[in-house]
Short mmCIF file of all heavy atoms in Angstrom, two decimals:
data_model
loop_
_atom_site.label_atom_id
_atom_site.label_comp_id
_atom_site.label_asym_id
_atom_site.label_seq_id
_atom_site.Cartn_x
_atom_site.Cartn_y
_atom_site.Cartn_z
N LYS A 350 104.51 33.42 34.08
CA LYS A 350 105.41 34.06 34.96
C LYS A 350 105.82 35.41 34.51
O LYS A 350 105.98 36.34 35.39
CB LYS A 350 106.70 33.12 35.11
CG LYS A 350 107.64 33.66 36.24
CD LYS A 350 108.75 32.63 36.57
CE LYS A 350 109.52 33.02 37.78
NZ LYS A 350 110.57 32.16 38.06
N ASP A 351 105.98 35.67 33.19
CA ASP A 351 106.26 36.98 32.74
C ASP A 351 105.14 37.94 33.13
O ASP A 351 105.42 39.11 33.63
CB ASP A 351 106.33 37.00 31.22
CG ASP A 351 107.68 36.42 30.72
OD1 ASP A 351 108.36 35.88 31.52
OD2 ASP A 351 107.98 36.64 29.61
N MET A 352 103.84 37.60 32.94
CA MET A 352 102.77 38.41 33.28
C MET A 352 102.74 38.74 34.84
O MET A 352 102.59 39.84 35.20
CB MET A 352 101.49 37.73 32.96
CG MET A 352 100.17 38.39 33.44
SD MET A 352 99.82 40.02 32.82
CE MET A 352 99.21 39.64 31.27
N ALA A 353 102.95 37.65 35.63
CA ALA A 353 102.90 37.85 37.11
C ALA A 353 104.06 38.74 37.56
O ALA A 353 103.80 39.68 38.38
CB ALA A 353 103.02 36.48 37.78
N ALA A 354 105.21 38.63 36.96
CA ALA A 354 106.35 39.42 37.40
C ALA A 354 106.18 40.91 36.98
O ALA A 354 106.44 41.82 37.73
CB ALA A 354 107.67 38.79 36.91
N HIS A 355 105.79 40.99 35.75
CA HIS A 355 105.75 42.39 35.16
C HIS A 355 104.57 43.18 35.85
O HIS A 355 104.71 44.41 35.88
CB HIS A 355 105.44 42.36 33.68
CG HIS A 355 105.76 43.64 32.94
ND1 HIS A 355 104.81 44.58 32.75
CD2 HIS A 355 106.96 44.13 32.46
CE1 HIS A 355 105.33 45.65 32.14
NE2 HIS A 355 106.63 45.32 31.92
N SER A 356 103.57 42.61 36.25
CA SER A 356 102.47 43.30 37.00
C SER A 356 102.85 43.88 38.29
O SER A 356 102.24 44.91 38.73
CB SER A 356 101.26 42.39 37.10
OG SER A 356 101.59 41.42 38.18
N ALA A 357 103.86 43.25 38.95
CA ALA A 357 104.37 43.69 40.26
C ALA A 357 103.24 43.61 41.34
O ALA A 357 103.26 44.33 42.37
CB ALA A 357 104.87 45.15 40.25
N CYS A 358 102.29 42.71 41.11
CA CYS A 358 101.17 42.54 41.99
C CYS A 358 101.51 41.35 43.03
O CYS A 358 102.40 40.57 42.74
CB CYS A 358 99.87 42.22 41.28
SG CYS A 358 99.35 43.51 40.21
N ASP A 359 100.79 41.36 44.10
CA ASP A 359 100.98 40.26 45.12
C ASP A 359 99.95 39.18 44.72
O ASP A 359 98.74 39.41 44.82
CB ASP A 359 100.73 40.88 46.50
CG ASP A 359 100.85 39.82 47.58
OD1 ASP A 359 101.30 38.65 47.29
OD2 ASP A 359 100.54 40.15 48.72
N PHE A 360 100.39 37.94 44.67
CA PHE A 360 99.52 36.85 44.33
C PHE A 360 99.38 35.76 45.43
O PHE A 360 98.95 34.67 45.30
CB PHE A 360 99.94 36.14 43.08
CG PHE A 360 99.88 37.08 41.93
CD1 PHE A 360 101.10 37.59 41.30
CD2 PHE A 360 98.72 37.46 41.31
CE1 PHE A 360 101.07 38.41 40.25
CE2 PHE A 360 98.65 38.38 40.28
CZ PHE A 360 99.82 38.85 39.73
N GLY A 361 99.73 36.20 46.64
CA GLY A 361 99.43 35.40 47.83
C GLY A 361 100.46 34.29 48.17
O GLY A 361 100.30 33.49 49.00
N GLY A 362 101.65 34.43 47.55
CA GLY A 362 102.67 33.40 47.78
C GLY A 362 103.70 33.81 48.87
O GLY A 362 104.75 33.17 49.04
N GLY A 363 103.51 34.90 49.53
CA GLY A 363 104.35 35.32 50.61
C GLY A 363 105.61 35.93 50.24
O GLY A 363 105.83 36.29 49.04
N LYS A 364 106.57 36.09 51.12
CA LYS A 364 107.78 36.71 50.87
C LYS A 364 108.68 35.98 49.85
O LYS A 364 109.36 36.56 48.98
CB LYS A 364 108.62 36.86 52.14
CG LYS A 364 108.08 37.85 53.19
CD LYS A 364 108.92 37.98 54.39
CE LYS A 364 108.33 39.03 55.32
NZ LYS A 364 109.17 39.12 56.63
#
Side-chain angles (χ1 to χ4, degrees):
K350 190 169 185 178
D351 280 14
M352 167 67 79
H355 196 271
S356 71
C358 299
D359 180 8
F360 298 108
K364 291 183 179 180

